[in-house]
Amino acid sequence: MSRAGALAPLDVYVAKKRLTNASGQTIDVIRDLALRLEAGEIGALVGPSGCGKTTLLRIIAGLDERYEGEVKRPPGRLSMAFQEPRLLPWRSVEDNIRLAVADVGEKELRVLLDALGLGEHAMHFPGELSLGLARRVALARAFAVTPALLLLDEPFVSLDAPLALAMQRELAALVKERAITTLLVTHDVSQAVRLADRIFVLSPRPAHVIGEFRFETRAKGTSDEQARSLEKRVEALLMQATANFAADR
Amino acid sequence: MAARLLSLLALLVVWALAAHFGDPRRFPGPLEVAAAIGRTAGSGDLFFAMGVTMARVAAAFVLAMAAGAAIGYAMGRRPLVDELADPWIVVLLNLPALVIIVLLYIWVGLNETAAIAAVALNKLPNATVTIREGARALDPGLDEMARVFAFSRWKRLRHVEAPQLAPYFAAAARSGLSLVWKIVLVVELLGRPNGVGFQINMAFQLFDVALLLAYALPFAAAMLLIEAFLVQPFERRVSRWRARAA
């Protein structure tokens, strides 16, 4: 697998992104947003719900090209887990993964399915799975490649708490082991703190980065105390931004 | 099932009774029609006529489904194509079958090309509209998934779009077949020297109702069998994953 792209950072600048809402009004969803993620880092986008995190992720994925600005993705393959599973209903679990990632090895696939607790569901169809299981299949599909960039949109939502924790550990191990540049969207600050090397805090609409936190000590393991203090700082910033936003209205 | 058989049997009895008390020339009973079927089958005329007609049905059906699928897909995916082609489709949808048939016989000539084109053109707008619905209903989420995982054009069509369009295609095929075989008879009656429609016209000239039914009933039965054993299983097959999902 080509790793050429793994050394390049992700550089994002969105000057302006407009959307037309249901009542026909044009609104700026993102304005003057810049972020940079170094190669091999895990970044987390944290922000109030509805602030444009998913829109930003779609722009970075190249799915939305109607914006002003520039996104420089590390060259190479892209992998993504959407908020919804987005599986092909007419294909079994393992065929869904094989179709999206044609070069996945059979052994690799087994290991991955077992790691995500999907071993016994390999031959099932998406319609036979619960939402939580289907989301795990989508994660397995996203992890089956070694991409230059991995994008995850609320990857652990709708999984029950112990499972979400186990999956987070799985993800962190997988991504770190293969040095995959990863950007994940979450509204859960403690999740971001547990997983990310770098946290970008976004403002309410129009979204821009109001704070960036970097974990220097991530490699050596972060103490619970450090994690809690960071969590508090991020949450304070979020609360302040939301309050300012409300005051402006 | 038993009730259906009983109902069919009752129909035969009513038919026999009606024929018994009516004019046997205008209203022959089941036995006379069966005898007429035996005669036409024995001489081979029935099978020849049915073969010719079925070939026309098949040609027109394939033509209309292929063109309808292509046009309908393009219309469903591209708003500009939709706006350009929609008025044509509306005109075609509202043009009586007979008008299309007569016009094509005049413009192209009394030949096989005109006959098959006329039938295909009658079916085309229905197929187009149904496939267009399917193309409009394609899941944008799956489309994005295919883009992120860099599916090739062909892979996307085959594994992402075709399975979503298949139920619409099957529905168009089912309604299309029943339309096509009825129109083929009219086309044959108006301008072909053979086939079931031509034989029905002959029987009409002779006022021979037994002969007329001897061609019409076996042909209708054959089309019913094709529908039940080919089209419906196809429809169930392509919709199978939906049943699973439910």
Side-chain angles (χ1 to χ4, degrees), chain B residues 164-186:
Chain B
Q164 293 182 72
L165 291 173
Y168 293 88
F169 190 84
R174 194 148 64 92
S175 74
L177 194 65
S178 62
L179 187 74
V180 162
W181 74 262
K182 285 164 193 158
I183 297 175
V184 164
L185 295 192
V186 180

Side-chain angles (χ1 to χ4, degrees), chain A residues 58 62-63 78-80 82 86-91 99-101 125 127-128 141-142, chain B residues 140-145 147-149 151 155 158-161 163-164 241 244-246:
Chain A
R58 286 170 42 83
L63 293 172
L78 173 69
S79 188
M80 185 166 180
F82 299 89
R86 303 203 183 176
L87 303 172
L88 301 174
W90 42 88
R91 288 294 182 142
L99 254 164
V101 187
F125 282 74
E128 300 170 314
R141 181 176 62 189
Chain B
L142 291 180
D143 191 55
E144 287 188 352
M145 184 280 292
R147 278 166 69 191
V148 161
F149 287 97
F151 280 35
K155 194 172 169 186
R158 176 159 173 229
H159 293 292
V160 182
E161 294 179 348
Q164 293 182 72
W241 59 270
R244 246 186 238 269

Side-chain angles (χ1 to χ4, degrees), chain B residues 68-69 71-73 75 86 89-90 93 123-136 168 172:
Chain B
I71 299 169
Y73 178 81
M75 288 176 78
D86 191 58
I89 295 296
V90 172
L93 262 175
K123 164 62 191 154
L124 179 72
N126 304 65
T128 303
V129 168
T130 310
I131 304 289
R132 176 175 65 181
E133 279 321 300
R136 279 177 181 164
Y168 293 88

Side-chain angles (χ1 to χ4, degrees), chain A residues 123-173:
Chain A
M123 302 302 286
H124 287 174
F125 282 74
E128 300 170 314
L129 305 177
S130 67
L131 180 61
L133 276 173
R135 297 214 45 163
R136 273 192 268 167
V137 178
L139 283 178
R141 181 176 62 189
F143 297 161
V145 232
T146 300
L149 179 65
L150 175 63
L151 301 174
L152 303 169
D153 195 351
E154 297 278 9
F156 309 112
V157 89
S158 81
L159 299 180
D160 55 68
L163 186 63
L165 267 177
M167 303 279 292
Q168 282 169 31
R169 263 195 295 269
E170 195 69 42
L171 164 75

